[in-house]
Amino acid sequence: MKSSHKGFAEGTLFALNIFIVVLLIAGNSLVVPRWLQPVGRMHPLILHFPIVILMLAMVMEFFRYREEFVNEKLYQTFTSYLLLLGALLSSITVIMGLFLSREPGYEGDTLQWHKWFGVSVAFTGYGVYLIRHTSKYTVRLAKAGAVITVFCLIVAGHLGGNLTHGQDFVLGPVMDQSKNAVPIDQALVYNDVIRPIFEVKCQSCHNADKMKGGLMLTDSAAIMKGGKNGKLFVAGDPAMSLLLQRVHLPETEKKHMPPTGKTQLTDDEKMLLYLWIKSKAGFNKKVTDLPANDSLRMIAATHLKPAESAEEVYDFSAANEKDIQKLNNNYRAVYPLANESPALAVNIYNKSTYNVKVLDELSAIRKQVVSLDLNKMPVKDADLKTIAKFENLRRLNLNFSDVTGKGLKELAGLKYLKSISLAGVKLTTADVKQLIAIKSINELAVWDSGLNPADLQSLQKQNPKLSLLTGFKDDGKVMKLTSPQLKNTSVIFNQSYALQLSNPIKGADIRYTTDGSAPDSIKATSFKPGIVFTQSTVIKARAFKAGWLGSDTVQFNVYKCAYTPDSISFITYPDNKYKGDGAKTIIDKELGGGNFGNGKWIASQKDLSVIMWFNKPIDLHSVSLNVMRNIGSQIFLPAGVEIWGGADQNHLKLLSTVKTGTPNQADPFALMPLECKLRSAQQVSCIKLVAQPLKSVPAWHPAKGKPGWVFLDEVFLN
């Protein structure tokens, strides 16, 4: 005789399954009254119970006919009750799901498949329970029923997860996202920067299967259409855009998006959306179409792969770091071709000190040198025998050197040599044979070399893949000069700085200013070798030449730092995302550049304090902080800076303070020194520096009311 509670449960289960059939037959004609909608919305909460209970019941059912269990009354009774409970909860969950599916915003193929697999779980579980005590129920039926029920359960759960959290929610963390990363030179702003935000953070509620608020964020047409509350944004006007209003609401607000419990947008993602809308929310613009210092481009670059290049894989090991350091001096620069690459590039300077010994000294790193720049050096034919020993050489610059065509035969044995630059080297028709003999090259610069068109044609015929650089051809158009280049290896100096400017166009007149004004061809100072600076200076330079358009103005900042502390440590620590290489980041004489996410900056939204010690007292009269301003990324100049100094950490006094003005919406991106001058020189052995961020971002900014970021990459003393 059945117990009364079991009989009641079986009757309820039968009624629920009949009700499911009625709901399925009703289909689209079903209208769920408002008072029943909360029941439907409990579907995601209840479904976890039948999943666990049915899983356990079906595992036990699969093994029920094993010899050790078949006569075990407790095992059989417990399985029966567990299966009944699981089937009962499954039916309740299915009914709730059918109610929920009739609410606006739920539609599409994923929903339909989820519905039918969910119904299959309820019906299969109930079917197994009904026939498991009959004489026709066999081991094969028990195992088949268990497997089918578990399969339907898994598929229904997976599809439900896709509806709730978006595609690939389960496997997303372990999938190799780098395979989908797009090189920055190929990336589109919307497709490769903005769309991934929508896919991960928004499309779980706003897709073709589930359009909450009548909004779909899966394609450009749907995005521009908006939802039942109107347009999603006003292109060019972030302040009037519904999208930004919703994502910036407090999480406790009902209309905050994404809803509480969902993965929230990061500050970078919010800023990307703001900048995209501000730039008129185009769908076809490339990232590289934006200016190099554009905030949207700079933030996007941190989410994209670097531009793809034909970078080679080298089969040799890296050189000894001590050998590289020893070989760097005032007339020779040795540096890695790229981060973590064993390949080295060598530039030789100073014509007056050059001789073949400069090349011989490179024997310790000969195998690693792939690029050798001997531009304007008095290289002789005999020196090419030494160069021929650089077995992995790929690029060789012999522009305006003293080599001749006869000596070039020494290079024929360099099997990796791809590029030779012989601009300004005097060549004859007889020398063409020597160039043809270097079969590995695919790029050759021979402008101003004396070779005639017939010689060049012969070269091209012998090597069809050869790219010939033959220089400027007068087509009647006025050309613009390239901007001047800074040849100094560093922009930070201790006592004096001998400025080295150049321009690749021979005869160009480089004019420069140091007062912040744009240089012209008349009043600005003409650059001549021997210009020396003894203080930090902002240099603006421009190139001019008769018959050419003047170049664009280029700016170089050079920084004097007379002292380097013997030790340094944080008093208050930077944010973990921007902690650089610790406190030494600001005294390593290496500027962070325009990418604030490259690990070369320290930053905080709270007071950032460091303390520096000197073994011997110094005479301090000024301190400069090199800071970043990037308003679009919530990075502002420090609101204030305090400089403290004294004999030790316990006897510090305030030496100088600087306050910056209220930020303006039109303030451009800038990397700039913020100077704190002391009223009089102070002898100190200990310095404390405090950089105070903006406490509250102005109302015109999308992050209004939040603290700003202060970014710092270097400190210069005196």
Side-chain angles (χ1 to χ4, degrees):
M1 183 176 176
K2 294 182 181 179
S3 62
S4 59
H5 61 272
K6 188 175 183 182
F8 176 77
E10 289 177 346
T12 303
L13 180 57
F14 175 76
L16 290 174
N17 278 270
I18 295 297
F19 188 46
I20 291 173
V21 173
V22 172
L23 293 177
L24 292 173
I25 293 173
N28 293 334
S29 62
L30 174 67
V31 178
V32 180
R34 292 181 64 86
W35 63 271
L36 262 182
Q37 286 183 3
V39 175
R41 295 185 182 189
M42 291 181 66
H43 172 77
L45 305 178
I46 299 298
L47 60 86
H48 302 285
F49 294 101
I51 289 175
V52 175
I53 294 171
L54 267 185
M55 281 280 191
L56 180 58
M58 288 305 168
V59 169
M60 295 182 72
E61 189 68 13
F62 189 89
F63 295 110
R64 69 170 288 188
Y65 285 108
R66 288 177 69 101
E67 185 178 347
E68 60 268 37
F69 300 138
V70 70
N71 295 316
E72 178 61 54
K73 186 177 180 180
L74 178 61
Y75 185 96
Q76 301 297 333
T77 303
F78 182 73
T79 303
S80 180
Y81 274 98
L82 202 62
L83 185 52
L84 175 59
L85 179 60
L88 188 65
L89 289 172
S90 296
S91 298
I92 294 172
T93 303
V94 167
I95 292 170
M96 289 178 169
L98 292 172
F99 285 173
L100 182 61
S101 69
R102 302 316 306 151
E103 290 194 27
Y106 287 95
E107 54 189 42
D109 291 341
T110 303
L111 176 70
Q112 293 302 315
W113 283 108
H114 173 63
K115 179 180 77 173
W116 287 112
F117 272 101
V119 169
S120 299
V121 170
F123 286 172
T124 307
Y126 184 38
V128 170
Y129 180 77
L130 286 177
I131 66 172
R132 69 187 303 273
H133 294 298
T134 65
S135 58
K136 294 182 180 180
Y137 195 62
T138 62
V139 175
R140 184 173 293 179
L141 278 175
K143 291 185 175 181
V147 169
I148 292 171
T149 304
V150 170
F151 172 76
C152 292
L153 196 59
I154 291 172
V155 175
H158 170 69
L159 294 171
N162 284 352
L163 276 172
T164 305
H165 302 289
Q167 296 293 325
D168 299 322
F169 173 72
V170 176
L171 296 179
V174 297
M175 293 174 69
D176 186 3
Q177 299 297 331
S178 63
K179 292 181 180 178
N180 300 322
V182 179
I184 189 170
D185 58 334
Q186 300 175 18
L188 297 175
V189 175
Y190 169 73
N191 200 55
D192 302 303
V193 179
I194 302 301
R195 190 181 69 174
I197 300 174
F198 289 152
E199 287 178 345
V200 176
K201 303 293 176 71
C202 308
Q203 285 185 14
S204 62
C205 292
H206 302 288
N207 56 68
D209 299 320
K210 182 181 178 183
M211 292 194 295
K212 285 291 186 73
L215 175 64
M216 188 166 66
L217 296 175
T218 54
D219 60 76
S220 57
I223 291 170
M224 294 304 293
K225 180 181 178 182
K228 68 179 184 181
N229 291 320
K231 296 284 187 181
L232 193 60
F233 53 78
V234 177
D237 191 355
M240 297 300 294
S241 298
L242 181 64
L243 171 64
L244 296 177
Q245 292 172 12
R246 292 293 175 88
V247 300
H248 283 289
L249 285 172
E251 281 192 50
T252 52
E253 289 281 344
K254 182 180 178 181
K255 293 184 178 180
H256 170 80
M257 292 295 158
T260 303
K262 298 268 188 177
T263 306
Q264 298 297 305
L265 272 68
T266 65
D267 289 341
D268 265 7
E269 288 169 339
K270 292 176 184 177
M271 188 54 62
L272 283 169
L273 292 175
Y274 168 82
L275 294 169
W276 177 61
I277 293 171
K278 186 178 180 182
S279 65
K280 299 190 177 178
F283 290 89
N284 300 311
K285 182 176 285 188
K286 293 182 69 175
V287 173
T288 50
D289 289 341
L290 302 171
N293 63 350
D294 184 84
S295 298
L296 177 55
R297 175 170 175 171
M298 294 174 68
I299 302 176
T302 65
H303 298 266
L304 299 166
K305 288 198 302 186
E308 291 181 341
S309 64
E311 185 177 337
E312 298 182 63
V313 177
Y314 302 101
D315 60 358
F316 49 82
S317 58
N320 187 299
E321 189 65 33
K322 290 183 179 179
D323 288 337
I324 297 174
Q325 293 176 0
K326 190 187 300 182
L327 291 167
N328 273 292
N329 51 40
N330 292 330
Y331 57 81
R332 181 175 53 211
V334 182
Y335 53 91
L337 204 62
N339 287 339
E340 301 181 2
S341 171
L344 299 176
V346 177
N347 283 10
I348 308 296
Y349 308 102
N350 201 333
K351 193 173 184 177
S352 62
T353 60
Y354 173 82
N355 58 56
V356 73
K357 185 180 177 182
V358 174
L359 299 174
D360 291 332
E361 290 171 350
L362 297 170
S363 59
I365 61 168
R366 190 172 62 206
K367 185 177 289 188
Q368 287 80 19
V369 175
V370 301
S371 177
L372 182 59
D373 189 342
L374 292 162
N375 182 50
K376 296 184 179 179
M377 294 297 106
V379 183
K380 309 293 183 185
D381 283 347
D383 300 350
L384 295 179
K385 294 181 180 179
T386 300
I387 293 173
K389 296 177 182 178
F390 291 79
E391 58 198 81
N392 290 307
L393 194 64
R394 267 71 167 172
R395 289 174 292 281
L396 176 61
N397 186 342
L398 294 170
N399 289 345
F400 303 100
S401 64
D402 296 334
V403 300
T404 68
K406 294 179 181 179
L408 294 175
K409 63 183 179 182
E410 302 293 343
L411 304 178
L414 292 172
K415 60 181 179 180
Y416 297 112
L417 188 60
K418 301 297 182 186
S419 173
I420 305 178
S421 212
L422 296 170
V425 173
K426 298 308 173 187
L427 301 173
T428 66
T429 300
D431 298 327
V432 172
K433 291 183 180 179
Q434 305 296 347
L435 293 170
I436 293 172
I438 310 174
K439 298 185 181 300
S440 61
I441 61 171
N442 53 33
E443 183 180 81
L444 178 63
V446 288
W447 53 276
D448 197 22
S449 65
L451 294 180
N452 59 48
D455 297 330
L456 299 177
Q457 188 176 6
S458 177
L459 267 171
Q460 194 75 75
K461 184 177 180 181
Q462 294 293 327
N463 187 350
K465 295 182 180 179
L466 183 64
S467 173
L468 285 171
L469 308 179
T470 57
F472 171 71
K473 293 181 180 179
D474 189 2
D475 58 1
K477 296 180 180 179
V478 181
M479 302 288 289
K480 178 186 282 191
L481 288 167
T482 55
S483 297
Q485 300 169 359
L486 183 70
K487 302 297 288 185
N488 301 72
T489 56
S490 175
V491 295
I492 302 175
F493 63 96
N494 179 266
Q495 294 298 331
S496 62
Y497 191 82
L499 184 65
Q500 299 176 33
L501 295 178
S502 68
N503 192 281
I505 305 301
K506 192 174 181 179
D509 180 22
I510 300 175
R511 299 274 180 156
Y512 73 93
T513 61
T514 58
D515 61 359
S517 62
D520 59 26
S521 61
I522 300 174
K523 296 180 180 179
T525 305
S526 181
F527 170 75
K528 303 293 181 186
I531 301 294
V532 175
F533 294 106
T534 58
Q535 298 295 330
S536 297
T537 308
V538 176
I539 302 161
K540 291 188 176 183
R542 192 179 176 197
F544 300 92
K545 186 178 180 180
W548 296 69
L549 294 176
S551 74
D552 293 328
T553 299
V554 64
Q555 178 174 312
F556 307 109
N557 292 8
V558 297
Y559 306 93
K560 180 180 180 182
C561 188
Y563 300 112
T564 300
D566 296 293
S567 58
I568 182 171
S569 67
F570 289 120
I571 299 175
T572 58
Y573 287 83
D575 190 277
N576 278 331
K577 291 188 293 185
Y578 307 108
K579 57 184 178 181
D581 192 21
K584 66 179 182 180
T585 302
I586 61 174
I587 59 169
D588 62 2
K589 305 297 188 290
E590 184 177 354
L591 297 175
N595 180 4
F596 59 80
N598 60 9
K600 296 180 180 180
W601 291 85
I602 61 172
S604 180
Q605 289 180 291
K606 301 177 181 178
D607 285 1
L608 188 55
S609 306
V610 296
I611 191 161
M612 298 176 276
W613 293 273
F614 301 84
N615 293 338
K616 295 181 179 180
I618 65 168
D619 290 321
L620 183 70
H621 57 75
S622 71
V623 178
S624 292
L625 286 67
N626 203 55
V627 297
M628 176 184 285
R629 180 175 62 204
N630 188 349
I631 289 176
S633 297
Q634 206 175 324
I635 302 171
F636 296 86
L637 298 182
V641 176
E642 295 180 354
I643 307 299
W644 299 71
D648 55 54
Q649 189 172 354
N650 297 320
H651 297 85
L652 298 176
K653 63 178 181 178
L654 185 61
L655 303 179
S656 178
T657 60
V658 170
K659 299 290 184 183
T660 60
T662 303
N664 190 295
Q665 193 170 2
D667 287 340
F669 171 86
L671 304 174
M672 56 191 294
L674 195 60
E675 187 174 19
C676 309
K677 289 187 176 180
L678 279 60
R679 291 183 179 178
S680 59
Q682 300 286 328
Q683 192 172 73
V684 298
S685 297
C686 182
I687 298 173
K688 183 177 79 169
L689 182 153
V690 183
Q692 302 162 337
L694 191 67
K695 299 301 181 186
S696 180
V697 172
W700 46 260
H701 196 280
K704 62 181 179 181
K706 294 183 178 181
W709 286 91
V710 58
F711 270 72
L712 175 63
D713 73 341
E714 202 67 33
V715 172
F716 308 115
L717 305 177
N718 285 8

